Amino acid sequence: MTEASPTSAPVPSGDPIRVGVYVCHCGGNISDIIDTKAVAAELAAHPNVAVSNDYMFMCSDPGQALIIDDIKANHINRVVVAACSPTLHELTFRKALQRAGLNPYLFEHVNIREQASWVHKGDHEGATRKAVRLVAAGVEKVVRQDELFPIKVGVEPHVVVVGGGVAGMSAAAALAGRGLGVTLVEKASALGGRVADLDRVYPTEESGADLVQNLTRQVQCHPKVAVRLGSEVVGLDGHVGKFTVTVRATAAAAQDPDHVVRAGAVVIATGFDHYRPAQGEHGFGQSPAVVTLPDFQSALRQCPASQSGLAYQGKPVRSIAFIHCVGSRQIDGVHPPQPDGKVNDYCSRTCCAATLHTIRQVQARFPDVNVYDLHKDIRTYGRGHEAIYEEASRAGALFLRFPDEEPPTFAASKDAKCAGVVTTRDILTWGEELEIPVDLVVLATGMVPRDIASLIDLRKLPVGTDRFLQEVHPKLRPVEMGVAGILLAGACQGPMDINEACTAAQTAAVKAAILLANPTIELDPFVAVVDPQRCDGCEKCLAECEYKGALTMADAVEAGATVRRAVVNPAMCVGCGACAAVCPPRAINVAGWTLDQFDAMVDAIVAEDVGALAHTECRPSARHIEFAMAGGGN
Amino acid sequence: MSRKDDLKILIITTMISSYPGANTVGQARLQYSPGTFIVRVPDPVMFPEEFYLDSFAKGIDGIIIMSSGSDCPYEGAYPRLSKRVGRVYARMKELGIDTSRLKLTTICTVCKAAFLKEIRDMQQNILKAKAA
Ligand SMILES: Cc1cc2nc3c(=O)[nH]c(=O)nc-3n(C[C@H](O)[C@H](O)[C@H](O)COP(=O)(O)OP(=O)(O)OC[C@H]3O[C@@H](n4cnc5c(N)ncnc54)[C@H](O)[C@@H]3O)c2cc1C
């Protein structure tokens, strides 16, 4: 396994800390409210501040040039910019420091626009006082900041994709198209996943089998893709850039060796399962006339084109009730809880369109069948989906809307005229209670996550409250997981239709391709770092770390004696800081976010006088971190 | 007698949800008191119990921890954080510090109303406690 080792020289010590403070007007966005000149003037009194200026647009070229000139001419060695949100320009200023030859992390960005001038328009004085305190806190943080270096990790230009449904295959094809090697691991004996079971798919009316065949051809014929059918991932060690993935054939005999793949990234595309209704849920399991949508679709597909009337399991069907939201959008107290005690309160998104699309197929082939659509809402959110709804309605489907807390019930009928009666309250007719004799009830069952507990356990993959795999952020980082280098594609992340699953897969592929584009990856240095001089080997931090291999203990020799010290593998640490909270001597901290820094920030926030804050000397620091892992060292 | 704007409320936000959430409030130009100081952290699970108690001792009137809740991308971090905050409450009681001065809540990237409400509630609680 690759070991992480700190290798760089310590922060140059001895030079006095000289901070440059730059307060931005942002046109007038900030300076119309906050007295930027007063802020700069007050900060000039801080004992570590050597230069304090205000300027119209700090992010402009001349604004950045001010900083660069001060670094070069005035020996500024720490920089604080008070401006807009760091999400906008933190990188801009870090790069300016770099251009001036200063370590880019000796920088602090203070937000006095989104979190000050824009939200305190009526109180200029209060906003100015706040800005002074925030900038002083920024100065206190940056004077305690060590030089940081990106973590360099050598990469394997190969990706393991787990799951060979449309998402997994799309990801594999896109990755191979970008020149990366791919191992596609599929548990079943064939590729295709759930789409292989679909006849025609909405909204394009393509055949599910054709779609699957097309993708299967792309991956199976590609020289860079190795497909391993009937296989599962049983080991997932290492870290971004260099994972070691162990693949085992599910039907393998005990003596068959596992297949080990080295990969720079892993894409998980294990898809979803169909919700299985509880016994008695709308009559399910009690009457053969109550079936799930996938079962009905499968029956419809097998029904010969020549057949004149619709029949299910040999019985003629003259009227059908489709019931939406079975196993989705459940309400506590109304629906039975799932095995984990929670209800499925999420929307399965695809079932409305899938139900309406199935209704259209019934109507097209068997126009005499009466169709009732019982819903609490119709969510035809996607492109072309609303048209299917309209067509179903025009072709005579009767839409009834039941109240959330009163789902329809089914009672089997004793006479032979129909299989049973669905009873529902209809909001569209002012709450009228209706009894509908039907031959078949089709439950539009939702999506639930597949049971991939063993895969989740391999790396403690984050799972959301809905039990699907969870991305770092649904909007900002939609296909990344908390574990660097593990990406998500398709319905393993939540209900998606084919279009969305393939879009997510392409996104994951691009993300992986960017990660693995160069022989080494540079990762953010904000990971846990141990000061061996402070670490007393108590091991409290180990119990807090959820990430296997990120934090371990190792022997070290100190003054001739062997001692135990905590050691961080920076490529596996996610930088959450859980370890830092329990370390009595504060030996372990997240680089760039140390507890000493936060304490000092609080001191600055409560201080009445910036000038009275203590001068900070440059310390010879042991907490430098450059981890050269390029090339590995397997 | 204190005014709400004279209070010093420390708001601990997460990089992934509540810090962008605070930005969303700003982008909407929604207004709140300037006695609020937002710090961003990868995750508040990194703070030991002492951090909160020391901050109160230093003169911080109230602390709102705006976590990512169940959306937290770090495995096990939120349950750890909430247990730790429980222990901080116990110690606050022992030390005679009003427990309404500390609040653990969840704020997302677009939780504008909740963000403002948490600040308002905290200010009211502190002022009420100070007046008592
Ligand atoms: C009733 C119904 C009808 C639908 N109709 C349509 C439609 O008409 N149009 C449309 O756009 N969408 C439709 N959808 C949605 C569509 O089915 C999904 O978008 C699509 O299947 C998602 O693809 P996927 O690859 O993410 O997951 P899946 O199709 O579930 O594929 C996942 C694959 O991963 C494999 N796998 C699982 N676990 C492992 C493991 N541990 N190791 C290795 N392999 C594993 C599985 O065997 C499977 O091959 C419908 C959904 C339902 C429920």
Side-chain angles (χ1 to χ4, degrees):
Chain A
M1 210 187 102
T2 310
E3 283 302 319
S5 53
T7 58
S8 80
V11 174
S13 56
D15 291 348
I17 293 179
R18 291 170 60 81
V19 182
V21 171
Y22 304 89
V23 186
C24 182
H25 297 196
C26 192
N29 274 297
I30 294 171
S31 54
D32 285 353
I33 310 293
I34 290 172
D35 184 344
T36 44
K37 284 207 183 309
V39 175
E42 281 213 42
L43 263 295
H46 188 289
N48 282 110
V49 172
V51 170
S52 187
N53 275 323
D54 61 308
Y55 189 69
M56 185 56 86
F57 283 111
M58 279 312 299
C59 61
S60 66
D61 284 348
Q64 293 182 53
L66 273 181
I67 300 175
I68 293 172
D69 290 348
D70 282 342
I71 291 170
K72 288 184 176 161
N74 288 325
H75 308 291
I76 293 302
N77 52 21
R78 302 280 194 287
V79 174
V80 174
V81 174
C84 55
S85 169
T87 49
L88 293 169
H89 280 304
E90 190 170 48
L91 214 58
T92 311
F93 294 117
R94 278 199 191 138
K95 283 187 177 156
L97 265 68
Q98 206 162 19
R99 288 203 299 280
L102 196 62
N103 183 287
Y105 296 98
L106 297 176
F107 169 74
E108 187 58 23
H109 195 118
V110 179
N111 184 344
I112 57 165
R113 192 181 75 172
E114 283 83 346
Q115 296 175 7
S117 66
W118 281 355
V119 289
H120 312 311
K121 283 176 179 263
D123 185 355
H124 294 206
E125 201 193 310
T128 303
R129 228 178 317 123
K130 170 172 174 170
V132 169
R133 291 181 197 277
L134 287 176
V135 183
V139 171
E140 287 296 310
K141 183 167 186 238
V142 86
V143 296
R144 286 164 180 79
Q145 179 65 37
D146 291 328
E147 281 190 311
L148 301 178
F149 299 89
I151 301 158
K152 289 193 179 134
V153 178
V155 306
E156 293 283 348
H158 194 96
V159 179
V160 170
V161 178
V162 190
V166 286
M169 287 195 286
S170 299
L175 286 160
R178 285 174 175 79
L180 290 161
V182 180
T183 302
L184 178 57
V185 182
E186 168 55 52
K187 195 174 170 180
S189 55
L191 294 170
R194 301 285 175 205
V195 175
D197 300 335
L198 298 173
D199 185 11
R200 300 270 144 202
V201 301
Y202 71 78
T204 55
E205 293 302 326
E206 288 159 288
S207 124
D210 285 354
L211 265 175
V212 165
Q213 246 178 41
N214 187 354
L215 277 167
T216 305
R217 216 175 300 123
Q218 284 184 46
V219 292
Q220 282 189 326
C221 299
H222 203 294
K224 287 222 163 252
V225 183
V227 178
R228 300 195 80 86
L229 295 174
S231 299
E232 275 188 90
V233 169
V234 293
L236 181 50
D237 294 315
H239 48 75
V240 60
K242 262 189 175 28
F243 286 107
T244 304
V245 186
T246 311
V247 181
R248 182 173 296 164
T250 37
Q255 71 276 9
D256 288 354
D258 288 339
H259 180 74
V260 175
V261 188
R262 295 199 187 281
V266 175
V267 174
I268 301 189
T270 46
F272 70 98
D273 253 336
H274 296 295
Y275 171 76
R276 174 121 189 114
Q279 176 74 12
E281 194 172 354
H282 305 283
F284 185 80
Q286 293 169 335
S287 163
V290 181
V291 301
T292 66
L293 180 62
D295 286 344
F296 179 65
Q297 285 182 327
S298 150
L300 203 58
R301 194 178 48 188
Q302 280 152 28
C303 180
S306 56
Q307 194 172 304
S308 57
L310 177 60
Y312 189 80
Q313 291 186 342
K315 296 209 171 124
V317 176
R318 289 146 303 188
S319 91
I320 316 182
F322 287 85
I323 301 179
H324 286 244
C325 292
V326 179
S328 312
R329 299 182 64 197
Q330 292 180 320
I331 301 166
D332 235 342
V334 174
H335 296 97
Q338 300 305 306
D340 65 354
K342 290 187 216 147
V343 292
N344 296 340
D345 54 4
Y346 56 88
C347 169
S348 283
R349 303 176 78 245
T350 55
C351 13
C352 278
T355 304
L356 293 164
H357 186 244
T358 307
I359 289 176
R360 282 301 299 130
Q361 287 174 323
V362 171
Q363 289 171 326
R365 290 181 60 188
F366 310 104
D368 294 337
V369 173
N370 292 317
V371 174
Y372 301 93
D373 180 294
L374 281 64
H375 59 267
K376 49 172 144 182
D377 273 320
I378 299 266
R379 293 185 169 174
T380 41
Y381 63 93
R383 196 189 207 179
H385 299 189
E386 190 72 3
I388 308 170
Y389 181 16
E390 264 181 47
E391 283 162 17
S393 175
R394 274 207 206 98
L398 202 61
F399 289 90
L400 306 163
R401 186 169 184 182
F402 59 84
D404 277 1
E405 63 291 350
E406 229 181 308
T409 55
F410 173 82
S413 161
K414 290 196 181 68
D415 66 45
K417 281 196 200 135
C418 63
V421 174
V422 172
T423 305
T424 188
R425 195 172 291 288
D426 177 33
I427 296 173
L428 302 175
T429 50
W430 300 280
E432 204 175 342
E433 188 169 286
L434 302 171
E435 290 188 348
I436 311 162
V438 290
D439 298 315
L440 195 66
V441 176
V442 178
L443 305 180
T445 43
M447 292 185 177
V448 292
R450 256 182 224 267
D451 179 6
I452 50 163
S454 54
L455 188 62
I456 288 170
D457 283 349
L458 291 177
R459 286 310 279 260
K460 298 240 164 150
L461 300 176
V463 173
T465 45
D466 56 8
R467 289 174 253 107
F468 285 94
L469 293 176
Q470 193 182 31
E471 66 289 318
V472 172
H473 190 277
K475 298 183 192 81
L476 307 177
R477 291 167 69 188
V479 296
E480 291 166 78
M481 297 203 89
V483 185
I486 302 189
L487 303 158
L488 289 171
C492 60
Q493 188 182 5
M496 293 185 188
D497 67 13
I498 297 169
N499 179 5
E500 292 163 332
C502 293
T503 306
Q506 307 274 343
T507 311
V510 170
K511 204 80 208 167
I514 294 168
L515 263 180
L516 309 182
N518 293 311
T520 57
I521 314 173
E522 290 203 344
L523 303 177
D524 271 343
F526 309 118
V527 294
V529 55
V530 180
D531 181 344
Q533 266 120 54
R534 287 197 199 177
C535 177
D536 59 9
C538 73
E539 300 196 7
K540 284 189 178 141
C541 53
L542 285 197
E544 298 299 302
C545 183
E546 293 279 349
Y547 296 90
K548 200 174 113 197
L551 191 57
T552 48
M553 298 302 290
D555 286 340
V557 178
E558 271 178 25
T562 303
V563 289
R564 299 283 284 163
R565 295 289 177 256
V567 178
V568 176
N569 182 336
M572 298 180 82
C573 173
V574 296
C576 66
C579 51
V582 298
C583 179
R586 292 197 172 178
I588 192 162
N589 263 292
V590 177
W593 306 96
T594 69
L595 291 175
D596 290 351
Q597 287 178 308
F598 285 113
D599 279 345
M601 289 171 79
V602 173
D603 291 338
I605 288 169
V606 296
E608 289 308 324
D609 176 8
V610 174
L613 290 165
H615 181 269
T616 301
E617 301 292 339
C618 193
R619 310 145 292 154
S621 169
R623 277 172 290 136
H624 53 278
I625 51 161
E626 180 183 3
F627 301 101
M629 298 174 67
N634 296 316
Chain B
M1 164 114 184
S2 300
R3 289 181 323 130
K4 73 177 170 37
D5 294 349
D6 296 334
L7 299 176
K8 291 191 189 81
I9 296 174
L10 189 66
I11 302 179
I12 299 172
T13 58
T14 61
M15 311 248 265
I16 208 66
S17 57
S18 45
Y19 190 83
N23 283 345
T24 309
V25 172
Q27 281 147 10
R29 308 298 198 273
L30 298 170
Q31 304 295 296
Y32 52 93
S33 158
T36 43
F37 301 90
I38 297 172
V39 293
R40 61 181 173 139
V41 290
D43 196 279
V45 73
M46 67 166 50
F47 292 119
E49 289 153 41
E50 285 70 27
F51 174 79
Y52 304 102
L53 301 172
D54 291 349
S55 298
F56 289 131
K58 286 173 184 174
I60 292 290
D61 295 292
I63 304 176
I64 310 173
I65 310 166
M66 296 188 171
S67 77
S68 313
S70 53
D71 285 343
C72 172
Y74 302 118
E75 184 66 31
Y78 184 71
R80 277 201 170 83
L81 170 67
S82 76
K83 274 198 198 132
R84 183 163 303 127
V85 171
R87 289 196 295 273
V88 179
Y89 280 136
R91 289 183 63 184
M92 286 172 75
K93 275 187 200 143
E94 278 165 27
L95 295 167
I97 304 171
D98 180 10
T99 50
S100 68
R101 290 172 63 188
L102 176 65
K103 173 85 188 276
L104 170 60
T105 182
T106 297
I107 295 290
C108 71
T109 53
V110 292
C111 290
K112 296 188 294 237
F115 179 92
L116 296 174
K117 182 178 179 305
E118 292 298 349
I119 293 174
R120 265 196 319 268
D121 287 355
M122 177 60 78
Q123 286 169 333
Q124 275 166 15
N125 289 340
I126 299 170
L127 291 179
K128 215 186 289 167
K130 285 197 176 198

